[in-house]
Amino acid sequence: MIVEDDAEIALLERDYLEIAGFSAQVISDGAAAVSAALSGEYDLILLDLVLPNCSGYEICRRIRDKVKIPILMVSAHGGLADKVRGLGLGADDYITKPFEPEELVARVKAHLRRYDRLLEPSGSAQDAIVAGELRIFTQSRKVYKGAEEIKFPNREFDLLKFLAEHPNIVFSREKLVESVWRYGYVGENATVTVHIGRIREKIEEDPNHPKIIETVWGAGYRLNAP
C-alpha cells in the first residue's frame, strides 16, 4: 500500500513496484489508510508523513501494534528528529525525498525478506519439505507458497505431505487411500479425487491446468518438483 497524496510521486512509486513484480495500491487520505491497513490485505506500507486528515506519524502509531508488516516512511523531512520520531513509533525504515526509485524497490524487497525470516515457522530446516515454491512444515503442519501461508484441513495436509515426500512418483488412487487414509478406510477412491481438487485450488496458478499435482491418466497422480 502506497499512502501518498502527491499524485506524481505516488504513480512513480507504483510504477516501479509493479515493474518489479509487486501489486501496489495508492491511497491519498490518511484516515482511509488506517482502515485499509487494518484490513490485513497488505504485505508492506509506504507511508508519507504529510497527509490529509491524519499524519503519517499518527497512522503509524495507530496500526503498528495491530499489523505485523513492514512500514517504510517516505518524507521530504529528512532531519534527525523526524527520523528518530518515525522509527520510535515503529517504522522499519525512513526514506528521504527525493529518492532513487531503484533504491526504494531494493528497500521494499529487503524488508519483505526480513519479515519472511522473522515469521518463519519454528523448527529446523530439516522439518521442511521443499517442493518448488512450496514449503511443507511437518511438525507445525503449516504450508507456505512463497511468503504466503496456505491453510489445509488435516486430511488435505496429509495427502499433500505424502505426495511431496515422494516427488515425481505416480501413485494410484488405491495406493493413496492405503497410504494416507490407512488400511480399513471404507471410503471410495473418488474421495482422493475430491481432495486433490481442493488442494489444487489452493496451490495451483490455474487449477484447471495443474502444474504441481499432475493427473497421469489411467495411472494416478504425481507431484512434480525440481
Side-chain angles (χ1 to χ4, degrees):
M1 178 168 63
I2 298 168
V3 187
E4 172 64 68
D5 66 338
D6 185 314
E8 185 175 347
I9 294 176
L11 292 177
L12 176 68
E13 292 174 349
R14 188 192 68 185
D15 289 348
Y16 269 84
L17 288 168
E18 289 182 346
I19 289 170
F22 295 101
S23 176
Q25 179 182 1
V26 176
I27 297 177
S28 59
D29 179 86
V34 172
S35 297
L38 296 177
S39 71
E41 297 179 3
Y42 300 92
D43 297 308
L44 179 143
I45 299 173
L46 290 177
L47 181 59
D48 187 29
L49 293 184
V50 181
L51 296 161
N53 298 324
C54 187
S55 74
Y57 291 126
E58 179 64 13
I59 292 171
C60 190
R61 186 188 67 78
R62 290 169 62 179
I63 70 174
R64 177 68 285 176
D65 292 335
K66 297 180 177 66
V67 295
K68 305 300 182 184
I69 61 174
I71 300 174
L72 280 61
M73 288 187 170
V74 183
S75 175
H77 302 288
L80 179 60
D82 297 300
K83 294 180 180 179
V84 169
R85 183 182 179 191
L87 297 173
L89 287 170
D92 295 273
D93 204 347
Y94 193 106
I95 302 169
T96 303
K97 301 175 185 177
F99 54 82
E100 293 294 334
E102 294 85 356
E103 180 186 358
L104 179 77
V105 172
R107 293 202 192 188
V108 165
K109 290 180 176 179
H111 283 284
L112 287 172
R113 286 195 300 268
R114 173 174 170 266
Y115 267 69
D116 276 353
R117 290 194 296 270
L118 290 174
L119 297 176
E120 189 76 34
S122 60
S124 66
Q126 289 74 24
D127 179 30
I129 302 168
V130 179
E133 288 187 87
L134 295 178
R135 292 173 297 150
I136 302 165
F137 291 84
T138 58
Q139 294 181 23
S140 60
R141 298 179 71 82
K142 291 187 176 184
V143 179
Y144 286 77
K145 184 177 182 183
E148 177 187 3
E149 182 180 359
I150 306 173
K151 303 290 187 180
F152 287 94
N154 283 339
R155 194 65 74 186
E156 289 178 22
F157 178 88
D158 291 338
L159 180 55
L160 176 62
K161 172 177 171 287
F162 178 81
L163 290 170
E165 287 174 332
H166 307 86
N168 306 313
I169 299 174
V170 178
F171 291 96
S172 67
R173 291 177 179 84
E174 293 80 5
K175 182 62 177 177
L176 290 172
V177 167
E178 174 187 314
S179 301
V180 177
W181 279 261
R182 307 298 182 185
Y183 294 101
Y185 176 69
V186 296
E188 298 179 357
N189 292 340
T191 300
V192 174
T193 304
V194 172
H195 280 72
I196 290 290
R198 290 173 179 166
I199 294 170
R200 282 172 170 165
E201 289 289 338
K202 298 175 183 179
I203 68 173
E204 299 280 0
E205 294 296 328
D206 182 358
N208 294 319
H209 299 88
K211 302 295 185 183
I212 301 173
I213 298 181
E214 183 179 357
T215 300
V216 180
W217 296 108
Y221 299 100
R222 173 180 62 215
L223 186 142
N224 297 315

